[in-house]
Amino acid sequence: DIVAAAKGLFAPGPLAGRRVLLTAGPTREYLDPVRFISNPSTGKMGLAVAQAARSLGAHVTVVLGPVGTVERAGLDVVDVVGAEDMAREVLARVEDVDLFIASAAVSDWKPQTRAAHKVKKTEGPETLTLVRTPDVLAEASRRVAGRERRPALVGFAAETQRVVEYAREKLQRKGLDAIVANDVTAPGAGFGVDTNQVTVLTRDGGEHALSGTKREVARALLDLVRGYLPAQPQ
Amino acid sequence: DIVAAAKGLFAPGPLAGRRVLLTAGPTREYLDPVRFISNPSTGKMGLAVAQAARSLGAHVTVVLGPVGTVERAGLDVVDVVGAEDMAREVLARVEDVDLFIASAAVSDWKPQTRAAHKVKKTEGPETLTLVRTPDVLAEASRRVAGRERRPALVGFAAETQRVVEYAREKLQRKGLDAIVANDVTAPGAGFGVDTNQVTVLTRDGGEHALSGTKREVARALLDLVRGYLPAQPQ
């Protein structure tokens, strides 16, 4: 039948037949055509999770902020620039997936206005008014709340202090199944490096320390969150 | 003698024995440990000029903003993050070179203060006070002004309108020998792409349109500015 035929398109593995949506990379919020607010995310951790999910048999869509040249083989990649683009692309897809992992480092603020041309330098100080961007993960969580087949929801919390405390609060406030708490100031962790050490908090109160290459951490993370996926339709 | 021996370390070519200093890439101006103001420069044009200068026999030092993984073979690379770091590294070297090419897209402003920890999100708008960063090229030009063996000085002007007019004004104000005027909104030009089309203005009033791959543009630019290098010591 058609369902079986569709399943046949997926590789075998514990995530065979599963659809995974993932955000990765930074966002850029432009104040004029050549200047923006951003962050140092390179997308490495998120892309490691995407590749791990694919190798376990899932169909993976990555909504990817600007990260330069990265390995896209086997992934459906949707390129975006700003937080608003990212929110739109996620909300268009999150109802149809089994797992949503929000690993992107979304800018929390954007300039209130964007100048049409490069702003010329002036001497004195300037003030830039910043307004909040959409909270992609919170909006996605609201969109699927109460659904019979709600995707598992996994967030990331990049912090520089009180990492686990802030992450636990975020997990509860956003209605997540798990959150990956990341002290981005720790050596061998965070932005741009190939290794990571994180604490995964789950909604049942679990707390799991993971460390290793980003690939190893990615695989261990997927093992931890698999139990939160909705039942597969028979 | 020692001079001849030192010259032997350089490859033969029209820039043999010449020292070139070059800036490339963006700068990042952090407002807290994980957020910054920057621009989309990938350093491709500057690194193309650096490699072209090297292939013509020069010894090339690149003061490089954060650009991820790039080809560094044969170049002396000094990695920097912010405009102040870039200015310091340039001023420490510019008196000793024959040619300084400022291709970096240096942030013109930086946040007045940098928070020690990640600033937590709040609801309402925020205002960010921005102050001017050092003008790396203008400071370098002042540093060598009036010297008997003054390096040739080449700037870049990334503009979105009135490109040649703004660039000519910048050439004169900063005391340059040449400036590369770049309409970063033109298709196949500017940030991140492999081709470029620019207008090189020289201090004698010349105006030269160059286009092609960044490598071809780099080579043509070096041909244009070679005439401004100081006489080589005998």
Side-chain angles (χ1 to χ4, degrees):
Chain A
D1 63 45
I2 291 171
V3 173
K7 282 187 180 171
L9 296 173
F10 299 119
L15 294 180
R18 297 297 199 167
R19 294 191 169 270
V20 175
L21 177 66
L22 191 140
T23 64
T27 68
R28 290 177 178 176
E29 313 301 329
Y30 277 84
L31 55 119
D32 73 16
V34 293
R35 298 182 179 104
F36 54 72
I37 295 177
S38 191
N39 63 68
S41 172
T42 57
K44 280 187 180 177
M45 186 67 233
L47 289 162
V49 178
Q51 293 292 1
R54 180 182 165 255
S55 74
L56 296 176
H59 179 274
V60 183
T61 301
V62 181
V63 180
L64 182 64
V67 292
T69 308
V70 294
E71 180 55 56
R72 295 161 173 252
L75 306 174
D76 271 355
V77 177
V78 181
D79 290 291
V80 297
V81 175
E84 284 169 15
D85 307 333
M86 187 171 274
R88 186 180 61 246
E89 299 296 344
V90 165
L91 293 174
R93 291 169 176 82
V94 70
E95 294 171 276
D96 302 323
V97 300
D98 298 293
L99 173 59
F100 174 50
I101 301 178
S103 82
V106 182
S107 297
D108 298 312
W109 290 283
K110 64 168 190 168
Q112 186 167 43
T113 56
R114 176 176 170 161
H117 285 288
K118 183 179 177 183
V119 176
K120 299 305 285 180
K121 291 184 273 197
T122 51
E123 280 311 315
E126 296 275 331
T127 56
L128 185 61
T129 302
L130 303 175
V131 297
R132 284 291 303 279
T133 52
D135 184 326
V136 178
L137 178 54
E139 290 198 9
S141 179
R142 277 194 294 272
R143 178 69 61 96
V144 297
R147 295 291 169 90
E148 199 179 340
R149 272 195 101 257
R150 170 191 165 286
L153 299 174
V154 179
F156 274 66
E159 299 291 350
T160 63
Q161 59 179 347
R162 295 160 68 189
V163 174
V164 169
E165 174 192 340
Y166 284 151
R168 175 68 64 191
E169 182 277 325
K170 195 168 172 179
L171 177 146
Q172 287 163 350
R173 177 166 44 85
K174 299 192 184 184
L176 309 181
D177 297 297
I179 193 161
V180 182
N182 207 347
D183 181 349
V184 292
T185 63
F191 295 122
V193 296
D194 290 319
T195 55
N196 213 344
Q197 45 180 323
V198 301
T199 304
V200 180
L201 310 177
T202 52
R203 71 164 186 226
D204 56 18
E207 199 174 313
H208 309 265
L210 305 181
S211 65
T213 65
K214 285 186 172 175
R215 185 179 181 159
E216 290 163 346
V217 170
R219 187 68 180 257
L221 171 65
L222 290 172
D223 284 342
L224 275 174
V225 303
R226 267 171 55 202
Y228 294 103
L229 267 61
Q232 269 184 302
Q234 298 307 311
Chain B
D1 62 46
I2 291 170
V3 173
K7 281 187 179 169
L9 297 173
F10 300 118
L15 293 181
R18 296 296 199 168
R19 295 193 168 267
V20 174
L21 177 67
L22 192 140
T23 64
T27 67
R28 292 178 176 173
E29 312 300 330
Y30 277 84
L31 54 116
D32 73 15
V34 293
R35 299 181 178 103
F36 53 72
I37 296 177
S38 191
N39 62 69
S41 172
T42 57
K44 279 186 179 175
M45 187 67 232
L47 289 163
V49 177
Q51 293 290 0
R54 182 182 162 253
S55 74
L56 296 175
H59 178 274
V60 183
T61 301
V62 181
V63 179
L64 182 65
V67 292
T69 309
V70 294
E71 180 54 57
R72 294 162 173 250
L75 306 173
D76 270 354
V77 178
V78 180
D79 291 291
V80 297
V81 175
E84 285 170 12
D85 307 332
M86 187 171 274
R88 187 182 58 246
E89 300 296 343
V90 165
L91 293 174
R93 291 169 175 82
V94 70
E95 294 170 275
D96 302 323
V97 300
D98 299 293
L99 172 59
F100 174 50
I101 301 178
S103 83
V106 180
S107 298
D108 297 313
W109 290 283
K110 65 168 188 168
Q112 187 167 43
T113 56
R114 175 177 172 162
H117 285 287
K118 183 178 178 184
V119 177
K120 299 305 286 180
K121 291 185 272 197
T122 51
E123 280 310 317
E126 296 275 332
T127 55
L128 185 62
T129 302
L130 302 176
V131 296
R132 284 293 301 281
T133 53
D135 184 325
V136 178
L137 177 53
E139 290 198 9
S141 178
R142 276 195 294 273
R143 178 68 61 97
V144 298
R147 294 291 167 92
E148 199 178 340
R149 273 195 102 256
R150 169 189 165 285
L153 299 174
V154 178
F156 274 66
E159 298 291 351
T160 63
Q161 59 180 345
R162 296 160 67 191
V163 175
V164 168
E165 174 192 341
Y166 283 150
R168 175 67 65 193
E169 182 276 324
K170 195 169 173 178
L171 177 144
Q172 288 163 348
R173 177 166 42 85
K174 299 192 184 185
L176 309 181
D177 298 296
I179 194 161
V180 182
N182 206 347
D183 182 349
V184 291
T185 65
F191 296 122
V193 297
D194 290 320
T195 57
N196 212 345
Q197 43 181 322
V198 301
T199 305
V200 180
L201 310 177
T202 52
R203 71 165 187 226
D204 57 17
E207 198 172 314
H208 309 266
L210 305 181
S211 64
T213 64
K214 285 186 171 175
R215 185 179 178 159
E216 290 163 347
V217 171
R219 188 65 181 257
L221 171 65
L222 289 172
D223 284 342
L224 276 173
V225 304
R226 266 171 53 202
Y228 294 102
L229 268 59
Q232 267 183 302
Q234 297 308 307

